[in-house]
């Protein structure tokens, strides 16, 4: 009986350790050209405090000097499974010449270059300090994903559970797809990275992470059709085609955006499944539209 109890306790402790492991975050401070050094210093310290208050992460302060503001994007020294976090703050003025503060929160995995950003505009500096935690947690939370698929170009791949997953093989592989693409009217940049992952930067400043998987291949293993899908939860900025209010109402329950493409050299042509206007323009529902990506 005691032996069984010991075994049960040991198994439970292993599971508890596995599921209680914190996400490791390195904090690099704030990039800003503002002359208000006292306010920036206050923001830097508050952001660190807000990061430490998130219960599923552990934070290491990597600021080279906690009393100084960064003038450019920091040099990252992270290695291993860590997330880089830093913020950017710019002063501007609205149409009434009232000062506003534009704040961009950045979280990035330096190993695969997947990152999340969130842009917020505040009409007072103190609203940054009181309202930033939600934005900080938003960009960090999308890194709490399930087991990643791993991809190779020359054989079978396995996910974190050891199960086989589809890989790119044959004449069209992930190496030939990696690079910069364009073609979506509301996007600034589309990047496909090695390993079947990438990201889309929208003109409104939002960033969407994506993953690439095989949809169809011929008998020789040549990839003919791929699916690109959104990673992480949706937000209204992923639907710039929609009026803002409709996008805000629909985003919380929206399914991940997906693209199904046939492959030609330097060209991806197919269908995008996303939210479209419905009911004479007063709401949104899932639909499809034709789209093409071209490689730069």
């Amino acid at each position: 009986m005691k032996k069984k109890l010991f075994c049960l306790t040991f198994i439970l402790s292993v599971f508890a350790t596995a599921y209680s492991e914190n996400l490791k975050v390195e904090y690099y401070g704030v990039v800003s050209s503002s002359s208000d050094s006292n306010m920036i210093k206050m923001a830097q310290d508050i952001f660190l405090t807000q990061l430490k208050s998130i219960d599923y992460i552990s934070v290491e302060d990597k600021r080279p000097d906690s009393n100084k503001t960064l003038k450019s994007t920091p040099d990252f020294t992270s290695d291993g499974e860590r997330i880089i976090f830093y913020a950017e703050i710019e002063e501007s003025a609205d149409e009434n010449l009232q000062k506003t503060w534009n704040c961009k929160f950045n979280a990035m995995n330096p190993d695969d270059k997947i990152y999340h950003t969130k842009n917020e505009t505040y009409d007072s500096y103190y609203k940054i300090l009181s309202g930033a935690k939600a934005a900080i947690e938003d960009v960090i939370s999308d890194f709490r994903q399930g087991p990643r698929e791993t991809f190779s170009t020359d054989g079978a791949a396995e996910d974190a559970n050891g199960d086989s997953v589809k890989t790119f093989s044959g004449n069209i592989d992930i190496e030939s797809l990696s690079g910069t693409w364009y073609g979506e009217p509301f996007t600034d940049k589309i990047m496909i990275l090695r390993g079947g992952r990438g990201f889309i930067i929208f003109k409104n400043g939002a960033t969407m992470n994506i993953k690439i998987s095989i949809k169809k291949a011929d008998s020789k293993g040549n990839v003919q059709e791929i699916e690109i899908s959104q990673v992480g939860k949706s937000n209204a900025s992923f639907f710039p085609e929609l009026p803002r209010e409709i996008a805000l109402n629909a985003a919380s329950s929206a399914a991940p955006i997906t693209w199904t493409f046939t492959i030609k050299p330097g060209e991806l042509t197919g269908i995008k499944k996303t939210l479209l206007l419905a009911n004479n323009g007063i709401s949104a529902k899932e639909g499809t539209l034709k789209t093409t990506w071209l490689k730069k």
Side-chain angles (χ1 to χ4, degrees):
M1 181 67 179
K2 289 183 178 180
K3 187 174 182 180
K4 289 182 179 179
L5 182 61
F6 173 79
C7 291
L8 178 60
T9 303
F10 176 75
I11 292 170
L12 291 174
S13 67
V14 169
F15 274 94
T17 300
Y19 283 97
S20 63
E21 185 177 356
N22 285 345
L23 188 66
K24 297 177 182 178
V25 176
E26 293 183 348
Y27 175 59
Y28 280 79
V30 172
V31 179
S32 181
S33 58
S34 172
S35 59
D36 196 341
S37 58
N38 290 331
M39 284 296 193
I40 296 296
K41 172 65 168 62
M42 187 186 302
Q44 290 207 90
D45 294 341
I46 288 291
F47 292 164
L48 179 60
T49 300
Q50 291 171 331
L51 279 167
K52 289 181 175 179
S53 71
I54 300 174
D55 57 10
Y56 58 82
I57 70 173
S58 60
V59 184
E60 183 178 355
D61 188 353
K62 299 287 285 187
R63 290 176 292 175
D65 188 336
S66 61
N67 293 311
K68 292 184 179 179
T69 304
L70 298 170
K71 299 301 181 185
S72 60
T73 303
D75 293 327
F76 304 129
T77 59
S78 175
D79 55 5
E81 289 295 322
R82 293 177 180 269
I83 303 302
I84 299 298
F85 179 87
Y86 67 98
E88 300 171 75
I89 298 176
E90 294 182 357
E91 296 178 36
S92 61
D94 61 20
E95 61 273 13
N96 298 318
L97 301 181
Q98 295 295 315
K99 183 181 289 187
T100 60
W101 301 86
N102 302 316
C103 198
K104 183 179 181 182
F105 301 96
N106 306 278
M108 182 184 77
N109 183 326
D111 291 336
D112 54 21
K113 300 298 187 295
I114 289 178
Y115 64 91
H116 297 269
T117 65
K118 189 174 182 64
N119 292 281
E120 297 286 353
T121 299
Y122 303 91
D123 57 15
S124 78
Y125 199 89
Y126 291 100
K127 285 187 178 180
I128 299 177
L129 308 184
S130 62
K133 183 180 178 181
I136 291 172
E137 188 159 8
D138 196 31
V139 297
I140 295 292
S141 65
D142 279 342
F143 287 98
R144 301 180 73 192
Q145 302 294 331
R148 293 183 186 178
E149 294 176 346
T150 56
F151 294 80
S152 69
T153 58
D154 56 0
E158 295 181 345
D159 64 15
N161 296 318
D163 298 322
S164 295
V165 297
K166 292 180 178 180
T167 61
F168 289 89
S169 59
N171 295 332
I172 300 293
D173 58 27
I174 192 60
E175 297 298 327
S176 67
L177 294 176
S178 62
T180 304
W181 297 74
Y182 68 97
E184 297 271 340
F186 294 95
T187 62
D188 186 51
K189 181 182 292 185
I190 303 168
M191 291 293 298
I192 295 180
L193 308 173
R194 294 181 177 87
R197 292 186 177 266
F199 57 89
I200 298 172
I201 300 176
F202 292 85
K203 291 180 180 179
N204 59 23
T207 301
M208 176 199 293
N209 289 319
I210 55 175
K211 65 178 180 180
I212 300 92
S213 57
I214 294 174
K215 188 80 171 176
K216 182 180 178 182
D218 64 19
S219 59
K220 296 181 180 180
N222 298 320
V223 179
Q224 297 175 319
E225 197 171 276
I226 62 169
E227 181 178 89
I228 297 178
S229 55
Q230 168 192 329
V231 175
K233 59 186 179 182
S234 295
N235 68 60
S237 297
F238 292 174
F239 308 101
E241 304 92 340
L242 300 178
R244 183 66 176 174
E245 196 63 35
I246 293 176
L248 287 168
N249 291 332
S252 61
S253 59
I257 298 170
T258 60
W259 294 259
T260 302
F261 285 127
T262 55
I263 302 173
K264 298 177 182 178
E267 181 178 320
L268 301 174
T269 303
I271 298 296
K272 177 181 181 180
K273 184 183 290 185
T274 185
L275 292 180
L276 302 175
L277 279 176
N279 297 324
N280 295 319
I282 62 172
S283 64
K285 68 176 183 179
E286 190 174 76
T288 60
L289 51 86
K290 293 180 179 180
T291 187
T292 298
W293 292 6
L294 301 172
K295 193 173 185 180
K296 286 188 176 181

